[in-house]
Amino acid sequence: MPPRNTSSARHPHQQLPDRVAAHVREQIMSGAMRPGDFLRMEPIAEAVGVSVTPVREGLLTLSNEGFVTLVPRRGFVVAAFSRQDVRDLFWAQSRLAGELAARAAQLATPQHLLRLRTLIAESAAAGEDGDTARIVALGHEFHRTVNLVADSDRLARLLAGIVQQLPNSFYASLESDAGTTATEHAELVIALELRDSPRARVLAETHIADGADFVIDALEQRGVWAKP
């Protein structure tokens, strides 16, 4: 995953709308809120533990992302989204991640490579202990490290904007597939060590893009696209 945008740390008032947006995204992607549903601000405010003002700001953020639509004089309504929308999110994410990996292959130092291998080893140990939460955290740190090595802040921020459009639970499920993840991470480290940018790009793109089918299947099981 890309490094977290630190601007919210400098502007604490931005955190509440972000929390609202994350909560509503989760509700939409879980099927609890369905396309066509009108969103009442008071229940959302109560669920998140905030006032109505950040709820409106959070919903405006989701409107810009295409998750909700503002209907004049009526309020916000959940927008329709399709399986192709999910594939598009992963396609865009994979292309940015691939470019960052390709750049990292030209800049990675022995210290960077050691850090990445250490993360892989720690993840394997967490797998043996059955510590899923630890595996997820280490997977996020692995991707964050690659993105930092690439030294491309603008691209990393663009990637972060796409990543946040899917709930953390989906990424957690993907990262917790310890066997596949460990193998793919190890292959990427080898490509970085060899300064093989084309190979690093392909590995990173495939690693991300393959998650689309998993997420679509999870959404189908949750009945997101089931007829009312």
Side-chain angles (χ1 to χ4, degrees):
M1 296 301 141
R4 185 182 299 275
N5 188 329
T6 57
S7 62
S8 61
R10 294 191 297 270
H11 303 285
H13 69 277
Q14 294 181 349
Q15 294 179 353
L16 296 181
D18 289 345
R19 283 169 51 193
V20 171
H23 170 75
V24 175
R25 265 193 224 101
E26 183 76 44
Q27 296 299 301
I28 292 173
M29 298 302 285
S30 69
M33 297 177 178
R34 293 180 176 275
D37 287 351
F38 275 90
L39 303 176
R40 294 175 55 218
M41 294 190 189
E42 291 78 6
I44 296 174
E46 183 177 355
V48 181
V50 299
S51 66
V52 171
T53 298
V55 171
R56 181 174 179 80
E57 294 176 6
L59 292 178
L60 286 172
T61 296
L62 293 179
S63 177
N64 292 332
E65 294 177 1
F67 279 95
V68 303
T69 301
L70 177 58
V71 180
R73 295 182 297 279
R74 296 196 65 186
F76 293 91
V77 62
V78 178
F81 72 97
S82 66
R83 294 169 180 81
Q84 186 59 50
D85 291 330
V86 176
R87 295 191 186 282
D88 289 344
L89 285 173
F90 275 89
W91 176 85
Q93 184 180 338
S94 70
R95 292 304 184 272
L96 289 170
E99 178 61 25
L100 286 164
R103 296 185 185 189
Q106 298 303 310
L107 299 173
T109 65
Q111 290 75 22
H112 292 141
L113 297 171
L114 176 60
R115 173 59 177 161
L116 292 171
R117 289 196 173 96
T118 299
L119 291 170
I120 294 173
E122 291 178 357
S123 182
E128 293 177 358
D129 295 336
D131 190 347
T132 301
R134 179 69 172 155
I135 294 171
V136 171
L138 291 167
H140 286 185
E141 182 61 21
F142 181 92
H143 290 289
R144 177 178 180 274
T145 300
V146 172
N147 294 341
L148 287 173
V149 172
D151 193 25
S152 304
D153 183 67
R154 182 66 64 182
L155 284 185
R157 288 175 182 271
L158 288 172
L159 178 55
I162 297 172
V163 167
Q164 73 177 7
Q165 293 196 34
L166 286 172
N168 284 335
S169 59
F170 289 128
Y171 295 110
S173 297
L174 290 169
E175 289 293 344
S176 64
D177 186 358
T180 300
T181 298
T183 299
E184 294 176 352
H185 284 181
E187 290 176 349
L188 179 56
V189 172
I190 292 173
L192 298 181
E193 183 176 27
L194 296 174
R195 299 200 180 281
D196 189 344
S197 289
R199 177 64 174 163
R201 184 192 305 276
V202 170
L203 288 170
E205 287 184 356
T206 303
H207 179 62
I208 299 298
D210 285 349
D213 288 335
F214 173 90
V215 171
I216 289 172
D217 182 63
L219 292 172
E220 288 176 339
Q221 291 183 28
R222 296 181 184 189
V224 169
W225 291 295
K227 294 182 179 179

